[in-house]
Amino acid sequence: MTTTPSIIWFTAHKCASVYATEILQKLAHDLGMTYVNYEGGLWEAGQSLGKLFSGDGPEKINNMFKTTGHIYEPFRQYYPIPEMEKYKVILMLSAPRNVLTSLYFSIAYSQSIPESQKTQIELAREDARKKNIDDLVIQRYPWLRKNYAQYKKYLFNKKNILLLKYEDMVTDFADGLNEILKHLQMKPSEQLIKELVNGAKFEVEKNIYSHKRQVKPGDHRRKLQVKTIKQLNLEFKDVLKIYGWSTYKLQEKNELFKLTLERAREKLDNFKLLL
């Protein structure tokens, strides 16, 4: 059995977690490691990994995780996995404003519906379609803020943890992949590297029913009201700063002013069309 340190990939919803799953599965196959998807498998069955951590005791959890030879999914929230310092850990997040924007379209239109979750998801979809995007974003941001805060508390500033920005992976996937492999201290086959780089096509999909609807950064500026963006900037201030998503105050003020002006011009143009 391989003594290679196991890999844990943490992320959040709407941060290319499905694509990360494909990368990890191919990496596991190429390196002779075992890929495990606890969170996804339990969700498909209508169960929760979080409940195992909170209710079933440490012995069962300890038996679920091995410190060598395994690659563990992408987890979409923080879990206190035992002996995490022995793992190679990756945390990839996207700017929370873009996550919440994408989340609206996922909940309202594109999220897959397994039979075990059918009633719950259909009710959430019905509720989301009754709201405008800003209402749902304001409703959901405390949940995402808690998730990001836990990552900040438990995973930041640790030697065995690589912090990645989703936006960097989109703009330069080859460089991002190289950074991942350097952190993991692994050398997969040249054939796999070529396959992954050539297969990384981050194209915009305008169809609201598509799961990969919008992958380019900055979609929140096109979809959210200025006052909503201002509130999210305030609520996620610490995370935006640490990850490098925030801009200087003057620059941010100018950007929001330009956005307000653009929206006003759009309304004026629409009004002229009605005359």
Side-chain angles (χ1 to χ4, degrees), residues 189-202:
S189 65
E190 291 296 328
Q191 180 180 348
L192 175 60
I193 294 175
K194 184 176 180 180
E195 178 185 341
L196 292 175
V197 172
N198 291 340
K201 297 178 180 180
F202 297 101

Side-chain angles (χ1 to χ4, degrees), residues 51-87:
K51 289 184 178 180
L52 290 180
F53 277 93
S54 62
D56 282 23
E59 184 176 343
K60 187 170 185 177
I61 296 299
N62 285 337
N63 292 333
M64 290 173 61
F65 292 92
K66 308 296 181 184
T67 59
T68 60
H70 288 68
I71 299 180
Y72 294 99
E73 30 197 325
F75 294 108
R76 293 171 179 84
Q77 68 179 66
Y78 173 76
Y79 297 103
I81 296 170
E83 300 183 295
M84 201 180 300
E85 69 279 1
K86 295 182 179 180
Y87 295 78

Side-chain angles (χ1 to χ4, degrees), residues 33 40 104 110 116 175 185 198 219 226 233 258 265 274:
M33 300 176 74
Y104 166 78
S110 64
S116 62
D175 185 66
Q185 296 180 321
N198 291 340
D219 197 37
V226 173
N233 287 347
K258 289 179 182 178
R265 286 172 176 167
L274 295 175

Side-chain angles (χ1 to χ4, degrees), residues 50-269:
K51 289 184 178 180
L52 290 180
F53 277 93
S54 62
D56 282 23
E59 184 176 343
K60 187 170 185 177
I61 296 299
N62 285 337
N63 292 333
M64 290 173 61
F65 292 92
K66 308 296 181 184
T67 59
T68 60
H70 288 68
I71 299 180
Y72 294 99
E73 30 197 325
F75 294 108
R76 293 171 179 84
Q77 68 179 66
Y78 173 76
Y79 297 103
I81 296 170
E83 300 183 295
M84 201 180 300
E85 69 279 1
K86 295 182 179 180
Y87 295 78
K88 292 290 186 178
V89 181
I90 295 170
L91 171 60
M92 185 175 78
L93 297 178
S94 179
R97 300 160 299 191
N98 288 328
V99 170
L100 290 164
T101 301
S102 295
L103 188 66
Y104 166 78
F105 290 97
S106 177
I107 294 173
Y109 300 102
S110 64
Q111 184 178 11
S112 61
I113 306 180
E115 192 63 33
S116 62
Q117 306 278 358
K118 185 175 182 180
T119 301
Q120 178 182 349
I121 293 177
E122 287 182 344
L123 287 173
R125 178 158 294 171
E126 181 180 354
D127 179 65
R129 290 185 179 183
K130 292 177 182 178
K131 294 180 169 68
N132 63 47
I133 187 170
D134 292 271
D135 289 339
L136 186 134
V137 163
I138 295 302
Q139 175 188 331
R140 296 274 178 164
Y141 84 75
W143 155 78
L144 187 65
R145 184 177 60 183
K146 179 181 178 181
N147 196 15
Y148 277 42
Q150 286 187 311
Y151 281 142
K152 178 177 177 290
K153 180 178 180 180
Y154 295 109
L155 298 186
F156 282 28
N157 300 319
K158 302 289 179 64
K159 291 182 179 180
N160 65 317
I161 295 172
L162 173 66
L163 301 182
L164 289 175
K165 286 196 291 187
Y166 162 81
E167 291 80 5
D168 291 341
M169 292 293 290
V170 169
T171 54
D172 192 343
F173 178 80
D175 185 66
L177 179 61
N178 182 61
E179 190 174 357
I180 290 171
L181 296 178
K182 182 179 179 180
H183 172 70
L184 298 178
Q185 296 180 321
M186 293 178 177
K187 292 184 178 181
S189 65
E190 291 296 328
Q191 180 180 348
L192 175 60
I193 294 175
K194 184 176 180 180
E195 178 185 341
L196 292 175
V197 172
N198 291 340
K201 297 178 180 180
F202 297 101
E203 299 169 343
V204 175
E205 173 59 70
K206 295 183 179 180
N207 180 5
I208 59 175
Y209 295 96
S210 171
H211 180 76
K212 194 177 76 171
R213 189 197 61 83
Q214 176 61 262
V215 298
K216 298 296 183 182
D219 197 37
H220 70 282
R221 295 190 184 94
R222 295 180 284 271
K223 300 294 190 299
L224 300 179
Q225 294 181 19
V226 173
K227 66 177 183 180
T228 304
I229 296 173
K230 286 182 178 179
Q231 184 170 351
L232 295 179
N233 287 347
L234 180 63
E235 297 293 345
F236 289 94
K237 181 179 178 180
D238 290 345
V239 173
L240 292 174
K241 183 177 181 180
I242 291 170
Y243 250 79
W245 289 311
S246 62
T247 55
Y248 292 108
K249 287 186 178 181
L250 181 60
Q251 182 182 350
E252 180 181 300
K253 185 177 181 180
N254 289 337
E255 287 177 354
L256 292 176
F257 175 77
K258 289 179 182 178
L259 186 57
T260 302
L261 190 60
E262 288 175 9
R263 299 285 173 82
R265 286 172 176 167
E266 289 174 1
K267 289 182 180 180
L268 181 60
D269 290 341

Side-chain angles (χ1 to χ4, degrees), residues 14-27:
K14 311 314 299 177
C15 297
S17 55
V18 173
Y19 188 65
T21 296
E22 296 178 11
I23 294 175
L24 295 179
Q25 287 176 330
K26 291 177 180 179
L27 193 62

